[in-house]
Amino acid sequence: AQKELPSLKEFGDVLTEQNRIDILDLMLEREEITIKDLERLLSFTGSTAYYHLTMMMRIRMVKTRNQGRTVLYSINEKYFDSIIGVLSKYLKKGE
């Protein structure tokens, strides 16, 4: 079964918020982050950090890994590969 392609609308909805772009940039820089990192580095409250991460996880933009009691969040590269595929339909072919 072919996996469902990510929705451009959901992608756009998630990225309309600068805080979520800042979270992605932090993940790019550090590979994995925790909610505590977001509290410390972006001055978020725990609930704000969790809110943004939940939105990003819901569309599979972000993946998680548990290390003991700590949840580590990172960029889901497969998601971004899929988004590039979805966006490529807007490219002019043959140029």
Side-chain angles (χ1 to χ4, degrees):
Q2 185 178 342
K3 273 205 280 195
E4 193 178 308
L5 289 173
S7 155
L8 280 185
K9 182 184 180 331
E10 287 179 341
F11 178 69
D13 288 347
V14 168
L15 290 188
T16 56
E17 168 66 60
Q18 183 62 47
N19 287 326
R20 293 189 279 275
I21 295 169
D22 294 344
I23 291 170
L24 282 174
D25 288 341
L26 199 58
M27 286 177 183
L28 197 58
E29 188 182 297
R30 296 176 166 239
E31 289 191 28
E32 292 182 310
I33 60 169
T34 65
I35 285 187
K36 291 277 181 236
D37 292 330
L38 295 179
E39 290 173 2
R40 193 177 71 249
L41 299 167
L42 299 178
S43 303
F44 289 173
T45 63
S47 59
T48 298
Y50 187 73
Y51 168 78
H52 290 303
L53 288 166
T54 300
M55 281 194 77
M56 298 166 85
M57 287 185 311
R58 186 178 51 79
I59 67 167
R60 297 187 296 278
M61 180 182 283
V62 166
K63 59 186 179 179
T64 61
R65 178 174 79 82
N66 289 5
Q67 192 169 50
R69 290 178 155 183
T70 304
V71 180
L72 297 161
Y73 299 86
S74 61
I75 290 172
N76 181 359
E77 291 181 5
K78 288 181 180 150
Y79 174 84
F80 283 93
D81 277 343
S82 295
I83 277 293
I84 289 168
V86 172
L87 288 169
S88 71
K89 75 179 183 185
Y90 298 103
L91 295 171
K92 288 184 180 169
K93 303 292 185 236
E95 283 194 85

